[in-house]
Amino acid sequence: MRSTRIRAFQGAAIALVLGLSQVSNAGTVTFTVDTTGGATGLTPIAPTTANTGKYAAGSFLTLSGNISASASGISASGAFTATAGSSGAFSTGNPGSLTSFYSGTLLANVTPTTIAFPGGSTLDAGLYTAHYPVAGGAAVPLAPQIGGGTDNAPGSDPADYGVAISLKALGIFTAASGNAALRNAVADISQTGGILSQALIGAPGTQTFTTTGGIGVALTGGDLDYNLKGAVVLGNTVPNLYGTGTLAGAPIAVSTGGVGTLTTVILDPVRQIESLMLTVPIKSTVTETITGSTPATIVIGLTGQVAAYATYQVPEPGSIVMLGMGGVALASVGYRRMRQRSRRQA
C-alpha cells in the first residue's frame, strides 16, 4: 500500500513537471512558405483543363470581391473579374490573373498539443506569369501601369493580381470601366477573436486543427493602381478615374477555411530534431478603404491555402523543469524517511 502511495505521488509530481516542460519548450517556429507544394509533400496537379479549379498544391490565394465608389454625385459598384486576355478559370498553363502564388515566411508557436499564429508573418504574393509556378515563366505586364497611368493611357507593368472592373450605377448603367492591378501584396496570419491558440487533434505525427473562428488574415501591404474610363449617366459625366491607393492596416478578417494539418517527422531522436510540414486553409474577407480624389471601399475575398515547412530542434528543458525533476526525487526520499520515523516512534 505504501509503495502504491509513493508511486501515485511521484506520478502526479512528474505529470506537473512534464506539463511545465511542454510550456517551457513551446517556441516560435519560422516556416518557409512553399510555393509549389513539392517541399511539403503535396503533389502538384498537372495544369491542364481537366484539372479546372483543382490545383491544390503549394501556397496560393485567389482574389474575389467588389469595389464601391462615388464620383460626380454618381454612386456605383462592381465585382472583380479577371483582366482581358487573362482567363479567370484554370486552364492549360494559365491560372488566371485573380490567382497569385505565395512565398515568404510563416510564424507559428507549436507545442505537442497546440498551434498558434502570433502574427508577424510575411506572405509575399508572386508576380502574375500566366503559368503555374511548376511551369515557371516571366512576369506578364498587367494594366494599368504603376501609379494608374493618365487619362486614356493606362499602360502596364508586372503585378501580383489583375482585375477588370465595370462600375454600375443603380445596377444598370455603366458609370466607369477599366482595370486595376494589385502590386506588392503582403499578407499576415494571426490569432483573432480572443482565441490564443488552436488545439492540435490527434497524436504527434499527423495532427489537424481548425482555422474557423480563431485564425485571421490581413493584408499588411499592397498598392492598388486603377484606371477607369468614365461615362455619361443620367446626364452626368463621370470623369476618368486613375491613380493608386495603399492597402494596409485593415482589421484582421476571421478565416472560415476549415481544417489545417501539421505533419511531424523525427529526423534525429537523440538531438530532438523534427521536420514540420504545415497546411493552413484560408477563406477570409478583408474590407479596405481607398482615399484620394475618388474615395472607394473595396471588399476583398481571399480563398486558398498556405503550405509551409521547417526543420526544428525541440528546446532543452529549462532550469525550472530540471529543478522540478530533482524535487520529485528528493520528495520521494523524504516521504520514505517520514514513513520510517513514524513506524519507529509507534
Side-chain angles (χ1 to χ4, degrees):
M1 176 68 73
R2 184 175 73 245
S3 63
T4 300
R5 287 197 294 268
I6 292 175
R7 284 194 297 271
F9 170 79
Q10 289 176 323
I14 290 172
L16 174 61
V17 172
L18 289 178
L20 291 173
S21 175
Q22 286 189 355
V23 173
S24 67
N25 285 345
T28 300
V29 182
T30 300
F31 287 82
T32 299
V33 178
D34 182 12
T35 301
T36 65
T40 46
L42 301 174
T43 302
I45 298 174
T48 66
T49 53
N51 292 318
T52 298
K54 297 180 182 179
Y55 186 82
S59 303
F60 63 94
L61 291 176
T62 298
L63 203 68
S64 61
N66 60 76
I67 180 171
S68 301
S70 179
S72 299
I74 301 295
S75 296
S77 62
F80 291 170
T81 58
T83 55
S86 171
S87 171
F90 288 73
S91 59
T92 302
N94 182 6
S97 65
L98 294 180
T99 297
S100 184
F101 297 89
Y102 280 68
S103 60
T105 58
L106 174 63
L107 304 183
N109 295 333
V110 181
T111 77
T113 57
T114 64
I115 186 169
F117 299 90
S121 299
T122 303
L123 309 178
D124 290 321
L127 294 176
Y128 174 67
T129 66
H131 288 82
Y132 294 87
V134 293
V140 175
L142 295 172
Q145 66 187 34
I146 295 173
T150 59
D151 277 341
N152 301 312
S156 63
D157 281 306
D160 304 329
Y161 292 93
V163 181
I165 298 174
S166 178
L167 298 180
K168 299 286 186 179
L170 304 176
I172 302 174
F173 306 101
T174 298
S177 61
N179 295 300
L182 180 57
R183 299 182 166 96
N184 309 312
V186 181
D188 188 14
I189 297 177
S190 62
Q191 298 295 137
T192 188
I195 299 176
L196 301 181
S197 64
Q198 313 301 123
L200 288 173
I201 302 171
T206 300
Q207 297 171 296
T208 61
F209 60 94
T210 179
T211 64
T212 302
I215 296 176
V217 179
L219 285 174
T220 56
D223 300 307
L224 187 71
D225 300 307
Y226 54 92
N227 189 299
L228 307 178
K229 186 176 182 179
V232 178
V233 180
L234 302 177
N236 294 310
T237 300
V238 178
N240 294 339
L241 309 175
Y242 59 90
T244 188
T246 299
L247 304 183
I252 293 174
V254 176
S255 175
T256 57
V259 178
T261 62
L262 176 66
T263 301
T264 304
V265 177
I266 305 299
L267 300 179
D268 186 337
V270 176
R271 298 171 61 197
Q272 298 189 70
I273 298 177
E274 303 172 342
S275 170
L276 304 178
M277 291 178 285
L278 177 66
T279 59
V280 186
I282 299 296
K283 187 177 182 181
S284 295
T285 301
V286 179
T287 300
E288 297 270 6
T289 299
I290 294 291
T291 59
S293 59
T294 305
T297 299
I298 301 176
V299 179
I300 299 175
L302 298 171
T303 304
Q305 73 176 16
V306 175
Y309 60 93
T311 299
Y312 178 67
Q313 183 169 16
V314 179
E316 293 293 332
S319 58
I320 185 173
V321 176
M322 300 305 294
L323 288 173
M325 294 299 288
V328 171
L330 291 174
S332 299
V333 172
Y335 184 84
R336 293 193 190 96
R337 290 180 177 176
M338 182 185 67
R339 293 290 300 175
Q340 290 171 355
R341 285 197 300 268
S342 298
R343 286 201 305 273
R344 286 197 298 268
Q345 291 173 359

